[in-house]
Amino acid sequence: MKIILSRKGIDSGALSGKMASPILPCGCLCSIPIPYRCGIAYSDVHFGNRSVRQMIGELNPRWSNELAHLDPDLRRDAMTSRPSGWRPAFGQIGAAAGHLINQSVGVGDLFIFFGWFRRTLKIKEKLSFDPKDIHGKHLVYGWLQIGEVIEKLPLPHHLLFLKDHPHVRFFKNEVHPNKIYVSSQSGLKAGVFPTELEC
């Protein structure tokens, strides 16, 4: 089994959000997907009882991005409805996908996802970054064991649940190669860690 460390979620870069993902007051890690020119509305992505857009608005009122690139898509409850047979999935394109191809990454291998997080406080029922945690830290927040790899369309019938995944919806707009890694149905599968794990 190969283990691949992959940095995902919003970050300090100009194209990746210019902020950290929050460690919520409960200790939960809420990895916020990067903004993208075509995607789904941040208001349609949820964590617990709140939309990610609500949380971003409290943490960074100057945020102007509306669309999210929900990838990796690891949590069933990130969206209010999921198609039958839904499984977590993760896409890679261009040089990143080429590197995985060159390393023969495939079925049975394991992605470990990490990102930049900062602690938050709740002040008057609103989230705020903890001023004592200026720099934050990089934390492991999720994983995906590869069960299947998709690199061309149309999707096979048993993977039609992927039609809304960004690397499928915008397949023609993406740089090639464009590969989608679908989680295994047994073994380690995929998921997120409920509390912080340092890397």
Side-chain angles (χ1 to χ4, degrees):
M1 175 195 290
K2 299 180 184 71
I3 297 176
I4 307 97
L5 286 173
S6 182
R7 180 172 175 162
K8 295 297 169 192
I10 58 172
D11 212 326
S12 58
L15 298 178
S16 54
K18 295 184 180 179
M19 65 179 275
S21 287
I23 303 171
L24 300 177
C26 63
C28 298
L29 301 175
C30 176
S31 177
I32 295 177
I34 61 170
Y36 203 57
R37 64 184 181 278
C38 47
I40 61 171
Y42 277 104
S43 56
D44 290 336
V45 183
H46 291 81
F47 194 95
N49 296 322
R50 308 186 71 202
S51 77
V52 168
R53 186 68 186 87
Q54 287 174 307
M55 288 191 278
I56 292 172
E58 293 173 12
L59 293 169
N60 184 2
R62 293 184 299 243
W63 183 277
S64 60
N65 302 289
E66 295 297 331
L67 298 179
H69 185 69
L70 184 57
D71 183 53
D73 186 5
L74 301 175
R75 296 185 301 109
R76 177 179 287 276
D77 59 358
M79 304 293 292
T80 53
S81 62
R82 294 289 198 179
S84 176
W86 179 87
R87 281 152 55 197
F90 168 55
Q92 285 284 63
I93 61 171
H99 178 70
L100 297 176
I101 293 168
N102 291 338
Q103 298 300 314
S104 301
V105 171
V107 173
D109 294 333
L110 180 68
F111 285 106
I112 301 291
F113 301 110
F114 71 100
W116 180 39
F117 290 84
R118 283 181 63 192
R119 294 187 180 280
T120 59
L121 306 169
K122 193 170 259 191
I123 301 172
K124 295 182 179 179
E125 297 306 307
K126 289 188 176 183
L127 281 179
S128 177
F129 282 118
D130 186 341
K132 295 179 181 177
D133 186 21
I134 297 172
H135 302 294
K137 51 189 169 181
H138 287 90
L139 298 172
V140 170
Y141 70 88
W143 76 94
L144 182 146
Q145 185 176 36
I146 303 168
E148 297 179 66
V149 182
I150 301 299
E151 51 193 327
K152 62 182 179 179
L153 298 182
L155 291 169
H157 183 75
H158 71 287
L159 294 179
L160 289 178
F161 65 85
L162 286 171
K163 64 183 176 63
D164 291 326
H165 189 279
H167 282 259
V168 174
R169 281 182 66 195
F170 309 110
F171 192 89
K172 292 180 180 177
N173 304 103
E174 296 286 13
V175 176
H176 287 274
N178 179 7
K179 298 176 81 74
I180 301 111
Y181 300 90
V182 188
S183 74
S184 58
Q185 293 181 280
S186 60
L188 296 175
K189 302 182 182 179
V192 293
F193 297 107
T195 55
E196 56 189 277
L197 291 174
E198 293 199 44
C199 61

